[in-house]
């Protein structure tokens, strides 16, 4: 068996800005997440630097006695710096056209490549069981890289939190399994 990477979407947050903390419900979800990982072997935890992502996995890191690392590449994807009243339609279009780029944002392909670069980095390291914590749009694009049919509708059905297991087999094939759904 190859490596395992647990991909975690953050718990319920009080907003979208990078400094937005978890809600009271999100804090409880983070404790539940620690319970979920209690009997799971974890060697390393890497999180988005956004407060909501860090707060989501801190109880797990403390329970495991693992230093929590942050990686800017796990930050949420910026669709645009403009205020888009039709942002949901634009996001759907960005799943359909991975190279679509809206003012001030990054294309889905750029964000996907950023997320995949973290996974490739993890695969080069010694840790066998890694948890990475990020955000819905970026996680959806990472999953789409390995499962091309993962798209807008699947993104809409993600929960806070959410956990997927990526198993990297000896032949570098990657299987994806959803382990959590709130």
């Amino acid at each position: 068996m190859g490596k395992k990477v647990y991909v975690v979407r953050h718990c319920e947050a009080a907003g979208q800005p990078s400094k937005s903390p978890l809600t009271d419900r999100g804090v409880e979800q983070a404790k539940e997440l620690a319970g979920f990982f209690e009997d799971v072997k974890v060697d390393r935890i890497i999180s988005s630097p956004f407060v909501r992502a860090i707060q989501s996995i801190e109880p797990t890191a403390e329970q495991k006695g693992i230093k929590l690392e942050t990686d800017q590449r796990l930050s949420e994807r910026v669709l645009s710096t403009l205020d888009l009243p039709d942002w949901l339609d634009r996001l759907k279009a960005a799943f359909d056209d991975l190279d679509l780029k809206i003012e001030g944002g990054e294309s889905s392909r750029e964000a996907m490549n950023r997320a995949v670069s973290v996974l490739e980095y993890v695969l080069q390291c010694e840790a066998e069981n890694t948890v990475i914590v990020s955000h819905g749009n970026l996680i959806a694009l990472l999953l789409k890289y390995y499962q091309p049919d993962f798209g807008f509708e699947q993104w809409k059905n993600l929960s806070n939190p959410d956990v997927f297991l990526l198993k990297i087999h000896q032949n570098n094939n990657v299987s994806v399994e959803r382990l959590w759904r709130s």
Side-chain angles (χ1 to χ4, degrees):
M1 176 56 96
K3 295 189 176 201
K4 293 180 181 178
V5 179
Y6 296 88
V7 179
V8 177
R9 184 183 189 195
H10 64 79
C11 301
E12 184 181 271
Q16 293 299 311
S18 63
K19 302 255 187 249
S20 294
L22 295 180
T23 62
D24 289 343
R25 181 169 180 243
V27 170
E28 290 305 311
Q29 290 170 333
K31 292 174 188 171
E32 291 172 25
L33 203 54
F36 174 83
F37 280 111
E38 187 172 6
D39 296 325
V40 174
K41 175 130 176 61
V42 175
D43 304 310
R44 188 173 190 190
I45 299 173
I46 307 170
S47 175
S48 157
F50 285 29
V51 170
R52 60 186 176 271
I54 292 169
Q55 288 180 338
S56 294
I57 204 65
E58 276 179 331
T60 301
E62 289 170 10
Q63 172 193 66
K64 299 280 184 190
I66 296 174
K67 178 180 173 261
L68 176 59
E69 303 169 49
T70 59
D71 190 319
Q72 191 67 35
R73 294 175 293 176
L74 293 172
S75 298
E76 180 61 290
R77 179 257 187 107
V78 175
L79 182 63
S80 174
T81 53
L82 301 175
D83 183 19
L84 302 172
D86 62 342
W87 70 270
L88 203 54
D89 293 332
R90 300 281 192 105
L91 183 60
K92 182 179 185 318
F95 271 101
D96 296 336
D97 177 359
L98 296 181
D99 295 310
L100 176 66
K101 194 167 183 170
I102 304 168
E103 186 178 330
E106 61 185 329
S107 72
S108 291
R109 189 173 316 278
E110 289 169 334
M112 178 187 287
N113 289 341
R114 179 165 52 87
V116 170
S117 74
V118 174
L119 195 68
E120 289 172 347
Y121 164 72
V122 164
L123 297 180
Q124 301 304 314
C125 298
E126 288 186 26
E128 292 293 319
N129 303 285
T130 301
V131 174
I132 62 174
V133 186
S134 191
H135 308 270
N137 193 194
L138 194 72
I139 288 171
L141 292 168
L142 176 64
L143 297 175
K144 184 173 184 60
Y145 181 83
Y146 295 105
Q147 289 186 329
D149 61 340
F150 197 99
F152 179 74
E153 290 303 318
Q154 290 77 14
W155 166 80
K156 281 177 40 178
N157 289 316
L158 292 176
S159 61
N160 292 94
D162 217 327
V163 180
F164 289 83
L165 172 59
L166 279 59
K167 290 183 186 174
I168 296 81
H169 305 281
Q170 299 300 342
N171 58 4
N172 283 335
N173 283 345
V174 177
S175 60
V176 178
E177 179 184 359
R178 190 175 194 179
L179 301 179
W180 177 294
R181 180 185 215 141
S182 291

